[in-house]
Each structure stands twice: as C-alpha cells, then as structure tokens.
C-alpha cells in the first residue's frame, strides 16, 4: 500500500486523543487526519476528512460511539470503525453496532497499529465500475466503497 492510512480519532477526552495521535504517529503507514470529541462530531468529520479508519470511543456525549458507529457504517460502509474503550463489557454492543474491530484502552501500541492496518480500506484497486459495483458516496477524492475492507500486511 503506497498511501498512508487516514485515521480519525473520536474520544471525548483531549488527553486520550493526544495520546492516540502520538502512538499512531510512530507508524509511517498511518496519518491522523482529524479528531472528534463526541459521536455526532465524529460522523460529521468522516465526511470532511474522509478517513480510512475511525478509532471510536464508546462512552461519549451528544452521540455515543455506538450511535456514531451505526450512522457511519450505514452512510460510509467502506470506512472501518475500531471501537476502543475501557471496558470489555461493550464488546458485543460495539460489534452489533457495526464496529469492524474492538480493542481495550491500554492495549499494546503494536496491537492498535496492527488493527488499524488490518482494517484499512484499500483505495488503489481501480474504479468500482470495473468490479461491477456502483459508487455509494459522492466524494470526489478518496472513494469509500462497500466491501473494501481487507487484511493489510505492512512492515514497520
């Protein structure tokens, strides 16, 4: 993959967002393109920033991470959402809301980076029409396509 993986971080705690940004910046394959402090802002920022992956806290104000995940996965099914929260009790709810992955806060940094890489949307496989699909987004630059999540193996 020649392009960097574009990531949006959604967490209501500024220090958590700063920490995640610092951690992800250790990988040359990852670029944090924007942040959000609640679920509704995360949904709005997906449209603005066009990330490949959203790292989503679950317990946030306005819209929680579950509501934001449902909205994002409905509107942009090719955007991967990784739920990242403090409690394992949210696992089933996060996956039911459409999250592609689930990690606990405090997991090893290598595990978080590997999850981002694994769920990154592949953009360089040609136009969707070539594969008999139709575009589901009106984006003009990076195109998010349904069913484009793929395991990506990168070395760091």
């Amino acid at each position: 993959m020649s392009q960097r993986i574009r990531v949006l971080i959604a967490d209501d705690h500024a220090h958590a967002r700063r920490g995640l940004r610092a951690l992800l910046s250790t990988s040359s394959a990852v670029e944090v393109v924007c942040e959000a402090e609640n679920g509704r802002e995360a949904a709005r920022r997906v449209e603005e920033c066009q990330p490949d992956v959203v790292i989503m806290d679950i317990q946030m104000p306005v819209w929680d991470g579950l509501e934001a995940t449902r909205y994002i996965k409905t509107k942009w099914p090719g955007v991967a959402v990784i739920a990242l929260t403090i409690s394992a009790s949210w696992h089933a709810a996060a996956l039911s809301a459409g999250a592609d992955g689930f990690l606990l806060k405090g997991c090893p940094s290598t595990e978080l980076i590997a999850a981002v890489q694994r769920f990154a949307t592949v953009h360089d496989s040609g136009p969707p029409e070539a594969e008999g699909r139709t575009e589901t987004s009106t984006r003009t630059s990076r195109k998010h396509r349904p069913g484009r999540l793929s395991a990506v193996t990168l070395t760091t």
Side-chain angles (χ1 to χ4, degrees):
M1 175 180 259
S2 60
Q3 296 180 6
R4 293 175 77 188
I5 301 164
R6 298 169 54 84
V7 175
L8 181 157
I9 299 169
D11 196 300
D12 58 325
H13 296 101
H15 66 278
R17 292 192 309 272
R18 282 191 303 271
L20 287 168
R21 181 181 282 274
L23 185 151
L24 293 170
S25 72
T26 66
S27 171
S28 62
V30 177
E31 173 186 13
V32 176
V33 293
C34 57
E35 299 178 5
E37 62 183 32
N38 63 61
R40 183 179 291 164
E41 183 183 8
R44 182 178 56 79
R45 301 287 287 171
V46 166
E47 185 151 30
E48 292 173 6
C49 302
Q50 302 179 17
D52 302 307
V53 177
V54 177
I55 297 175
M56 182 77 72
D57 185 22
I58 300 295
Q59 294 181 291
M60 293 187 291
V62 188
W63 286 1
D64 66 21
L66 300 176
E67 187 173 2
T69 297
R70 280 190 288 274
Y71 182 85
I72 290 166
K73 294 303 287 185
T74 298
K75 192 158 182 177
W76 302 284
V79 174
V81 177
I82 299 171
L84 181 69
T85 192
I86 196 79
S87 173
S89 65
W90 289 103
H91 184 256
L95 296 180
S96 178
D100 298 285
F102 181 90
L103 292 172
L104 292 175
K105 288 184 177 179
C107 68
S109 59
T110 54
E111 190 175 336
L112 178 61
I113 292 169
V116 167
Q117 292 174 336
R118 184 176 331 114
F119 292 111
T121 303
V122 177
H123 294 283
D124 54 2
S125 62
E129 299 79 26
E131 299 175 39
R133 290 176 284 116
T134 58
E135 195 61 55
T136 61
S137 173
T138 58
R139 297 169 201 256
T140 56
S141 56
R142 298 173 73 83
K143 307 261 190 237
H144 297 288
R145 303 177 193 126
R148 299 303 297 177
L149 296 183
S150 171
V152 178
T153 305
L154 300 176
T155 56
T156 55

